[in-house]
Amino acid sequence: MATTALERRRAQVDDKEVRTMHAAVVHDFAEPLRLEEVPIPVPGAGEIVVRIEASGLCHTDIHAAHGDWPVKPTLPFTPGHEGVGIVEQVGLGVTEVALGDRVAVPWLGYACGTCEYCVSGWETLCLEQKNMGYSIDGSFADYVKAYGRYVVRVPDGIDPIDAAPLTCAGVTTYKAIKVAGTRPSDLVAVFGVGGLGHLAIQYAAIAGGRVVAVDVLDEKLELAEELGAEFVVNASRRDPVEAIRELGGVDQAIALAVSPASFGQAYASLRRGGTLVFVALPAENHMELPIFETVLNGITVVGSIVGTRVDLREVFELHAAGKTRVIRETRPFAEVNEAIADVEAGNVPARIVFTPEDAS
Ligand SMILES: [Zn+2]
Ligand SMILES: [Zn+2]
């Protein structure tokens, strides 16, 4: 009797020789993720397998699961690019990490290592890059396979549940502040105080900036003040451009909110010589940019995409030194679909971090 590929796979899973794990798998962009039992990956040359202790939920995972972006992931796949855990298997030729190390498995899962971008500190722009939870199965699983060269060791003393959000939200906002060029005494506007914004405020302050936080929820603005924002503006009650202009305008504005209006507000709140940094990816892909004012006021508009391994090491160094606070809540990994619904509804204080069933 002929067997189908699915029956063969099931037989393989039933076989005691094959160790299995749980993974949250996207089979259809219009359906919820499915929790499935699948074989634990086996590392090839240059690869490692990491037992996941914590995995953050980023908005990009939701876009991936819905197939929202022009280049869609190939189905089926497992999202997750804020995975933190312990190296349990090491493939041939891996020298960067060893068994037992705690590592972070970020969005930049692989880059070529030899192109102009890779050798000049811009590996995040490599055209050959592969991304965790998008073109490589990600960390919404008990184990994840990764390239040993592209994971980053998590220093001792950092809680893996803090390390997870730092692996994308942290490194992305840290890099955005670097790209913004914030210097002591600069005034920096952070538009959107969520999973990214609450960290951006802290990195801007570490760089010496004075921070104006803009959001539409009072509780998020209270959090912003706790984390070092000197000024806050509730954009649902007051025009943030007017409020920021009263302060003399900002040297840098970091656009982290997906509301299309906030991009125009961020631009308009700049003082002469100011820089607008694009980070959030709203569904509406365009904004109007006045050429005359941009030229005469010497405005810079720049995009910033995640960060490099060096950036992530620095993010961990700052956290290990007690310089940053990560606002997050943990959920069992089995509640991935409920968590996505809560993030979409805006019911989440900062970052959701999934933990395996047996973790406390
Ligand atoms: Zn992310
Ligand atoms: Zn490259």
Side-chain angles (χ1 to χ4, degrees), residues 111-119 122-123 125-129 150:
C112 80
T114 54
C115 73
E116 189 186 333
Y117 301 113
C118 281
V119 297
W122 285 99
E123 65 206 35
L125 303 182
C126 177
L127 284 159
E128 304 299 318
Q129 72 181 269
Y150 284 90

Side-chain angles (χ1 to χ4, degrees), residues 35-51:
L35 283 165
E36 293 181 347
E37 203 171 337
V38 300
I40 293 175
V42 176
E47 295 175 334
I48 60 173
V49 170
V50 176
R51 175 174 51 80

Side-chain angles (χ1 to χ4, degrees), residues 198-245:
H198 88 282
L199 288 159
I201 290 165
Q202 298 176 70
Y203 294 128
I206 288 169
R210 301 170 62 201
V211 180
V212 189
V214 182
D215 204 284
V216 291
L217 295 172
D218 285 331
E219 68 254 32
K220 294 202 172 178
L221 294 170
E222 279 164 28
L223 173 68
E225 282 182 313
E226 253 179 64
L227 296 173
E230 193 174 333
F231 309 97
V232 295
V233 182
N234 186 322
S236 72
R237 288 201 296 271
R238 183 149 192 224
D239 176 11
V241 176
E242 190 190 282
I244 291 170
R245 280 195 178 157

